[in-house]
Amino acid sequence: MARIDKVREYIERSTAEAIIKRIEPGVSAATVAAALAIHRSDASADLNKLCKLGCVRKQGIRPVLYVSTAKAESKLPSRQFLSGQEDAGSGPKQPENDNKCSAFSGIVGSEGSIKAQIELAKAAVVYPPNGLHTLICGETGVGKSLMAEAMWRYADQIWQSEQNHQKVPFITFCCADYADNSQLLLSQLFGYVKGAFTGAVEEHEGLVDRASGGILFLDEIHRLPPAGQELLFMLVDKGMYRRLGETREERKAQLMLICATSEDISSSLLTTFRRRIPVQITLPRISERPVKERIALIAHFVKQEAIRLGLPIWISGEALETFAYYNCPANIGELRNDLQLCCAKSYLASLASSVGKLTVDNTVIPQRIFSMVRKQEVMDASIQRIFKEGILVEPGGQPLVQSLLNDYDLPIDLYGYIDKKIGSYRQMQMSDEDIESQVGKDLEKYFGSVVQAFFKPENSDMPVSIIQQEIWEAASLLLNDAAVKLGRKYGRKTLVALALHLQQFKERVASGRIIYNPNLKAIKTEHSHAYGVVIDNAAMLNDKLGVKMSPDELGFVAMFLIHGSEDIMRSHIGLIIVAHGRGTAQNMAEVANNLLGTDHVKAYDIPLNKSNAKTVEELQEVILKANEGQGVIILVDMGFLVTMENMLTNATHVPLRIIPNVTTALVLEAGRRVLTTDDNLEQAVSNIYEAYDEYTLTLRQRRKPKRDEGKEVILVTCSSGEGVAEKIKEILLESIPAARDMNFITAGAMNDIKSMVAELGEQLRIAVGSFDPQISGLPFIHVSELFSPDGISRICALLKMEPEDSSLSGIDGALATEVYTLLAGQLNKFVKTLPVDQVRGCCETLVERVSDYFFKGQISQDAVVRIYLHAACMFDRIHAGEALQSPAWSSQIQSERQDEFQYLKGIVRAAAVRIRLEVPDSEICYFLNTLPARSCM
């Protein structure tokens, strides 16, 4: 007997037996394969052929069941009998609707984290006469469509009694399909009449007609342009609408609108549209759900795969914990697909053996998932037990939770895809080992293409302002490769630590500092495998970082691979941020926890009006909670707490150390140190200080202009910014051309000038600037002397150089254009209420007029910047109704500088006319006070 005949016979026999036992008939391809001892792909192929011949029919989904048509058509009992329902006259009648909450009860979290959202959804549905229009908000994959469908099912239960038990319509419309064509959108939503446009040969009803008495679900509502949103106003306001082409007749619509968006409604929806939707429901990210709910979701999705395969699936405690803390970028949808991938890998491995169950453990979890795990401490004993023992999910029995998300299915049957590939490779006579290897690669490629659809454009949540995207990618690629070659698992903490190190390395190279690794020889000898992985990736690292990595630096990177694996159960040194103000510490802790993938960094904010005694009392409680037995490090901003180390230690009996002057960079370094090293408290504090000093030294080194060794140096001091210092340098170079052979070093009031002077030694000749650095034996010339011939001559005498004969001139045209361009680029930071382009033109015109009159065309760059920004801020505050009041010296300056006042008033008001402003005399007084008197020029 041919194999296909055996399959047909088995289906007929199974169908007949089911009918006799009065159970729903049907068997899966996996069941057929097991019963006949054939491969599942062969069973699927034969069953599909029998379906085409009409001998067998398919029913159901996940799994598809096959029934013999010959046996079923003549002997199959009615659906009422099979479903357990009885005829009207055969027994007591069931209640019509004994549980109206069942529409939502299958949703994970319906009695937990989203209970409030579900109660709001119920209230929206039951509100007479047709429910309240609702907007569902939330990121991609949080279950917005599921919520809309649950609201429809609830409405079907509530409204049926009012509609003669007819099914409540539920019409879904994706706004993205018609976002750019308002007429097509209008015709789809409201329909059209005959002759409304070319080709409209008959009247056509729209979606609003089809949804009458029910619910119209508008998905991706944010994709509608403003014109498209306005088309819905009359429908929302009055329940009335017109079909396309109608001018007089208005139609009545009795329906409920449910809209869904994954975007920020304040920027994507019109305010006039938002206020017309009375109910707004926001669904949380999966990372915001409690751990128990995340475990329930995992169990539900694994249950689906167990049913599909007809096999029990055991998910290990480690794998369950990993997925429970997996920060899915695309939320629940991505979690489902990642679990399906793991089940598929386990299924692939089981094909070579005859095991009775599948195993999902950390060996089948993709490396990228470990990089997005943010583990937390769990105190619940039941959860800890599950994470230790794992769970076994059976295909039969009651489902763990009811259907949650049907919108996240893969485009094709993943297991069928595997079977097809195996059959193809077997025809090529490949060995089982080669088949498993090749199909594994095919599966990764296939699933990788599917996963891309669920990723946001920014597939890394690491801000590029902290770590550059190229460096983040380089660290990820290196750890992924190391995980495969070294057989290790690297989590997010290691990823962040490595990325921060690579960025610091790049900055160190940019500052010209040398990289030296005294332990390089030992690393090469004792950890050759890890060093070899880094060598293999050296070209990639060089390309991503844009600098060539020396063997010394490669040795440092190898240490991250050696010591980078993480043990969540290991206790760490506690880390607390304490800062004054509202939310200051909390914000820094949130950034650090987000980047480090943890919740280990604690925060304590001190309101400015809180007493010191109360602060100390509350801080002691925070210290006790943060302590894991290894001591606590407190990072404080300022104030009395800097000196409270011993008192807090004695009060709490917790070893602790206080580090002052907290910054985000310091928090990240401290977090990296306590989470990824085995340092004790003293070592950690010492290493944090050392690493942070190294970081600040690198920044200081980068700020130093590169200078030629051996050249003499002029120190430029400036307390108001580098712009003024650069102008001083320009003046010196213009007035004393020989100074071009010298180096210039800039120093601010907060710099360690004595250290700089000690480093420069005899190369330092003079200091020029706005403040005297008070260095013994170092001549100082104030910046004001640069504007007089005597001052320039004095500098030349000190440097023993000849001055330039020409007088000090203003900036040339090219430099002025460059200054204007730079100012225009920053203008939006100063102008908040006016169009930037209009203000830009007014300011440039005003600077030119002021330069000609007050500076005789010889204006400095600093003066240009000062006048430009003063004018911009003046125009902006006048437009905002916040013009300055007249100063006490208003009359005096108008009297003493009468001509200058009238001239300035004229050019300012002429410029202000272009932006329809009237400038008061008080503003003219303040403006004039910043300008030099013409008699002094």
Side-chain angles (χ1 to χ4, degrees), residues 295 298-299 302 313-324 357-362 381-394 400:
I295 293 174
I298 295 166
V302 174
I313 300 176
W314 181 74
I315 178 168
S316 73
E318 288 183 345
L320 189 62
E321 185 179 18
T322 297
F323 276 113
K357 67 179 180 182
L358 300 185
T359 298
V360 175
D361 55 23
N362 278 0
S382 62
I383 294 178
Q384 290 178 344
R385 186 174 65 255
I386 291 175
F387 285 164
K388 182 178 180 180
E389 299 175 357
I391 56 174
L392 180 65
V393 181
E394 298 280 356
L400 296 172

Side-chain angles (χ1 to χ4, degrees), residues 663-683:
T663 65
T664 303
L666 179 60
V667 174
L668 286 173
E669 178 57 38
R672 183 185 74 84
R673 175 63 57 180
V674 302
L675 292 172
T676 61
T677 70
D678 296 321
D679 291 350
N680 60 34
L681 184 61
E682 296 300 333
Q683 291 171 333

Side-chain angles (χ1 to χ4, degrees), residues 204-458:
H204 180 75
E205 70 175 11
L207 297 177
V208 172
D209 293 293
R210 292 170 54 195
S212 180
I215 293 174
L216 177 59
F217 176 43
L218 302 178
D219 199 9
E220 298 190 64
I221 188 70
H222 60 273
R223 294 293 301 277
L224 285 186
Q229 297 175 37
E230 290 169 350
L231 290 175
L232 299 171
F233 283 2
M234 188 167 72
L235 177 66
V236 174
D237 290 342
K238 301 179 180 179
M240 307 295 292
Y241 70 98
R242 290 191 181 96
R243 288 182 177 174
L244 184 63
E246 286 182 330
T247 55
R248 296 184 179 179
E249 183 180 357
E250 289 186 348
R251 300 174 184 268
K252 183 73 173 176
Q254 294 184 343
L255 55 77
M256 176 182 178
L257 278 181
I258 300 179
C259 308
T261 177
S262 57
E263 300 294 322
D264 179 12
I265 61 174
S266 63
S267 59
S268 60
L269 297 179
L270 294 173
T271 304
T272 48
F273 179 78
R274 297 200 309 271
R275 66 178 175 81
R276 286 175 160 85
I277 307 296
V279 179
Q280 293 184 8
I281 299 173
T282 301
L283 297 179
R285 286 179 47 83
I286 189 172
S287 60
E288 297 168 355
R289 296 281 200 105
V291 177
K292 286 186 176 180
E293 290 183 11
R294 283 177 260 171
I295 293 174
L297 286 170
I298 295 166
H300 166 72
F301 292 138
V302 174
K303 176 80 172 181
Q304 288 184 339
E305 302 310 310
I307 294 172
R308 177 181 298 188
L309 293 170
L311 290 171
I313 300 176
W314 181 74
I315 178 168
S316 73
E318 288 183 345
L320 189 62
E321 185 179 18
T322 297
F323 276 113
Y325 295 118
Y326 170 32
N327 185 37
C328 314
N331 294 292
I332 299 172
E334 186 174 1
L335 174 66
R336 182 192 190 282
N337 284 277
D338 284 329
L339 284 166
Q340 189 175 37
L341 172 63
C342 293
C343 291
K345 286 184 172 182
S346 180
Y347 173 74
L348 172 63
S350 72
L351 294 176
S353 60
S354 56
V355 295
K357 67 179 180 182
L358 300 185
T359 298
V360 175
D361 55 23
N362 278 0
T363 62
V364 297
I365 298 178
Q367 166 61 26
R368 61 178 174 80
I369 290 179
F370 291 98
S371 298
M372 290 185 281
V373 172
R374 300 179 180 177
K375 294 186 178 180
Q376 302 171 5
E377 185 177 357
V378 178
M379 304 304 295
D380 191 313
S382 62
I383 294 178
Q384 290 178 344
R385 186 174 65 255
I386 291 175
F387 285 164
K388 182 178 180 180
E389 299 175 357
I391 56 174
L392 180 65
V393 181
E394 298 280 356
Q398 294 296 320
L400 296 172
V401 288
Q402 296 182 10
S403 177
L404 180 63
L405 289 176
N406 294 326
D407 296 332
Y408 299 104
D409 292 333
L410 291 178
I412 66 176
D413 181 2
L414 191 59
Y415 303 105
Y417 173 82
I418 296 173
D419 290 335
K420 183 178 178 181
K421 284 290 184 181
I422 289 176
S424 173
Y425 291 137
R426 278 183 175 164
Q427 289 180 1
M428 298 169 61
Q429 298 183 345
M430 294 175 60
S431 67
D432 289 345
E433 184 178 350
D434 291 339
I435 288 175
E436 182 174 340
S437 175
Q438 187 58 46
V439 174
K441 294 177 182 177
D442 293 337
L443 187 60
E444 288 282 2
K445 291 178 182 178
Y446 162 76
F447 196 81
S449 64
V450 176
V451 168
Q452 291 303 316
F454 291 95
F455 268 89
K456 298 178 181 179
E458 60 277 11

Side-chain angles (χ1 to χ4, degrees), residues 94 132 660 680 934:
Q94 296 292 327
L132 294 174
N680 60 34
R934 298 191 74 222

Side-chain angles (χ1 to χ4, degrees), residues 49 97 151 161 237 311 337 435 459-460 487 512 533 561 624 682 799:
K49 289 179 182 178
N97 188 15
M151 292 175 69
S161 60
D237 290 342
L311 290 171
N337 284 277
I435 288 175
N459 53 16
S460 163
V533 172
L561 307 185
L624 292 172
E682 296 300 333
L799 298 176

Side-chain angles (χ1 to χ4, degrees), residues 632-652:
V632 174
I633 294 175
I634 303 178
L635 307 174
V636 303
D637 56 348
M638 60 181 182
F640 74 100
L641 287 175
V642 176
T643 63
M644 300 292 287
E645 188 174 282
N646 291 334
M647 192 279 289
L648 289 171
T649 299
N650 294 332
T652 61

Side-chain angles (χ1 to χ4, degrees), residues 573-579 585 601-604 606 615-616 619-624 626 631-638 641-642 644-649 652 654-662 666-667 670 674 681 685 688-689:
I573 298 171
L575 192 60
I576 304 173
I577 304 172
V578 180
V601 183
K602 310 302 180 186
Y604 177 70
I606 307 175
T615 297
V616 171
L619 183 56
Q620 289 177 21
E621 297 179 6
V622 178
I623 293 170
L624 292 172
V632 174
I633 294 175
I634 303 178
L635 307 174
V636 303
D637 56 348
M638 60 181 182
L641 287 175
V642 176
M644 300 292 287
E645 188 174 282
N646 291 334
M647 192 279 289
L648 289 171
T649 299
T652 61
V654 174
L656 62 86
R657 293 292 179 267
I658 294 177
I659 299 178
N661 301 325
V662 61
L666 179 60
V667 174
V674 302
L681 184 61
V685 172
I688 290 169
Y689 271 122

Side-chain angles (χ1 to χ4, degrees), residues 499-808:
L500 287 169
H501 172 80
L502 291 176
Q503 179 145 308
Q504 190 178 35
F505 157 72
K506 184 176 180 180
E507 292 172 350
R508 186 183 180 104
V509 171
S511 68
R513 304 180 69 194
I514 298 174
I515 307 294
Y516 171 63
N517 187 345
N519 200 35
L520 179 60
K521 185 176 180 180
I523 293 172
K524 289 181 177 180
T525 304
E526 299 173 13
H527 305 288
S528 57
H529 293 300
Y531 188 75
V533 172
V534 179
I535 293 295
D536 293 342
N537 287 272
M540 178 275 294
L541 292 171
N542 292 341
D543 180 61
K544 290 287 187 181
L545 273 63
V547 295
K548 184 174 178 59
M549 301 185 75
S550 66
D552 293 84
E553 175 56 29
L554 295 176
F556 283 125
V557 173
M559 298 306 294
F560 283 87
L561 307 185
I562 298 164
H563 302 291
S565 61
E566 300 163 22
D567 180 6
I568 188 173
M569 302 309 293
R570 180 170 61 86
S571 60
H572 301 287
I573 298 171
L575 192 60
I576 304 173
I577 304 172
V578 180
H580 292 78
R582 181 180 299 175
T584 306
Q586 184 61 44
N587 290 337
M588 280 194 282
E590 184 177 342
V591 170
N593 284 327
N594 183 52
L595 299 182
L596 296 171
T598 182
D599 62 347
H600 187 73
V601 183
K602 310 302 180 186
Y604 177 70
D605 287 298
I606 307 175
L608 298 179
N609 58 353
K610 181 171 289 188
S611 68
N612 291 350
K614 186 66 174 176
T615 297
V616 171
E617 178 184 345
E618 293 178 352
L619 183 56
Q620 289 177 21
E621 297 179 6
V622 178
I623 293 170
L624 292 172
K625 291 179 181 179
N627 180 39
E628 298 180 4
Q630 303 296 320
V632 174
I633 294 175
I634 303 178
L635 307 174
V636 303
D637 56 348
M638 60 181 182
F640 74 100
L641 287 175
V642 176
T643 63
M644 300 292 287
E645 188 174 282
N646 291 334
M647 192 279 289
L648 289 171
T649 299
N650 294 332
T652 61
H653 303 290
V654 174
L656 62 86
R657 293 292 179 267
I658 294 177
I659 299 178
N661 301 325
V662 61
T663 65
T664 303
L666 179 60
V667 174
L668 286 173
E669 178 57 38
R672 183 185 74 84
R673 175 63 57 180
V674 302
L675 292 172
T676 61
T677 70
D678 296 321
D679 291 350
N680 60 34
L681 184 61
E682 296 300 333
Q683 291 171 333
V685 172
S686 176
N687 288 328
I688 290 169
Y689 271 122
E690 183 178 343
Y692 191 65
D693 288 345
E694 176 81 6
Y695 167 74
T696 55
L697 178 60
T698 298
L699 293 181
R700 290 198 302 270
Q701 195 75 18
R702 290 186 66 187
R703 291 174 68 89
K704 292 182 181 180
K706 293 183 179 179
R707 55 187 178 85
D708 297 328
E709 296 297 334
K711 284 190 175 183
E712 294 180 326
V713 176
I714 296 177
L715 177 64
V716 180
T717 65
C718 177
S719 58
S720 59
E722 290 189 354
V724 176
E726 285 299 315
K727 185 58 185 175
I728 293 173
K729 178 181 175 181
E730 290 177 16
I731 295 173
L732 290 173
L733 292 176
E734 185 177 354
S735 303
I736 312 173
R740 293 168 188 167
D741 293 328
M742 302 182 70
N743 287 318
F744 288 81
I745 300 295
T746 303
M750 302 302 294
N751 291 126
D752 186 359
I753 298 179
K754 291 185 178 179
S755 297
M756 298 171 64
V757 171
E759 181 181 349
L760 293 171
E762 296 182 358
Q763 292 177 266
L764 184 58
R765 294 294 305 280
I766 62 171
V768 182
S770 58
F771 68 90
D772 189 348
Q774 302 292 329
I775 302 299
S776 176
L778 180 67
F780 172 71
I781 295 88
H782 194 271
V783 64
S784 59
E785 297 186 48
L786 299 180
F787 297 94
S788 67
D790 292 340
I792 297 296
S793 298
R794 183 184 170 207
I795 295 174
C796 291
L798 291 170
L799 298 176
K800 298 180 180 179
M801 295 179 177
E802 294 297 325
E804 182 75 7
D805 292 336
S806 59
S807 62
L808 183 66

